[in-house]
Amino acid sequence: MGYLKIKSYAKINLALNVVGKTFKLHKIESIISFLNLHDEIFIKKIKDKSHKIKFIGRFSNNINSNNTVTKLLKIIDKKKLLNNVKFKITVKKNIPIKAGLGGGSMNAASILKFLIKKNLIKVSKKEISVITGLIGSDVILGMYSKNLILKSNNM
């Protein structure tokens, strides 16, 4: 299997309203739209004992080892969803980090969507919600990749 390319689109909150607070987070309502700006993710199966993850591109500096892509793969491996299949993943960062555009979260969501679409993992909608929630609160938005209205009770 050669490299396959995935586009991971940036998201933006067009409107944001804080409607309350939980123990840890604010309850929000938001209008979310996806932009034409995207990171490029190159992925291929490898014969190795561990995944290989690399970030390149203009906005790849200062991405640490505890990133969303690494978190996703650790969760999937812990749940034994990949049957010991490992991947080499290179993410070309075109979305600025810490710009509020959801670049990292959308990277994890795009990879998860890819793995599901290619039937490399089989998960229920509930399990998708659990996995994305373990990575970050906005990762679930990338599973839809369409404009939407987010309500405080999740969508």
Side-chain angles (χ1 to χ4, degrees):
M1 172 181 170
Y3 279 102
L4 295 172
K5 182 177 167 182
I6 306 167
K7 291 182 179 178
S8 177
Y9 290 91
K11 68 164 187 65
I12 190 166
N13 293 314
L14 298 175
L16 180 67
N17 186 25
V18 177
V19 295
K21 193 171 181 178
T22 64
F23 178 69
K24 289 184 177 181
L25 302 170
H26 289 92
K27 291 183 180 183
I28 63 166
E29 293 179 344
S30 181
I31 300 171
I32 304 207
S33 185
F34 285 82
L35 306 174
N36 199 25
L37 175 64
H38 62 272
D39 289 339
E40 295 170 303
I41 302 172
F42 301 92
I43 185 169
K44 75 174 182 176
K45 285 184 189 178
I46 57 172
K47 293 183 181 193
D48 207 315
K49 293 180 181 179
S50 61
H51 300 287
K52 305 293 180 202
I53 303 165
K54 183 170 137 182
F55 293 90
I56 62 172
R58 184 173 172 195
F59 300 107
S60 63
N61 293 340
N62 302 321
I63 298 175
N64 66 33
S65 60
N66 190 29
N67 58 71
T68 58
V69 174
T70 301
K71 285 182 187 177
L72 170 66
L73 294 173
K74 282 181 182 177
I75 292 164
I76 290 173
D77 283 347
K78 186 175 181 182
K79 292 179 177 287
K80 297 182 180 3
L81 296 173
L82 280 174
N83 299 319
N84 292 320
V85 173
K86 302 299 178 192
F87 291 95
K88 181 175 183 181
I89 298 173
T90 302
V91 181
K92 183 178 179 196
K93 294 297 295 174
N94 299 314
I95 301 170
I97 61 172
K98 300 189 188 286
L101 299 174
S105 296
M106 297 309 102
N107 291 163
S110 297
I111 292 168
L112 181 57
K113 274 195 323 190
F114 170 82
L115 295 173
I116 293 167
K117 182 179 177 183
K118 295 294 183 182
N119 291 316
L120 295 166
I121 62 172
K122 294 189 185 329
V123 288
S124 66
K125 287 185 179 184
K126 184 177 179 180
E127 189 67 15
I128 290 170
S129 183
V130 169
I131 291 168
T132 58
L134 290 170
I135 301 165
S137 60
D138 65 343
V139 177
I140 191 71
L141 302 174
M143 298 304 294
Y144 301 101
S145 294
K146 62 180 183 180
N147 299 340
L148 53 94
I149 297 173
L150 175 68
K151 298 189 178 203
S152 60
N153 62 355
N154 284 334
M155 285 183 252

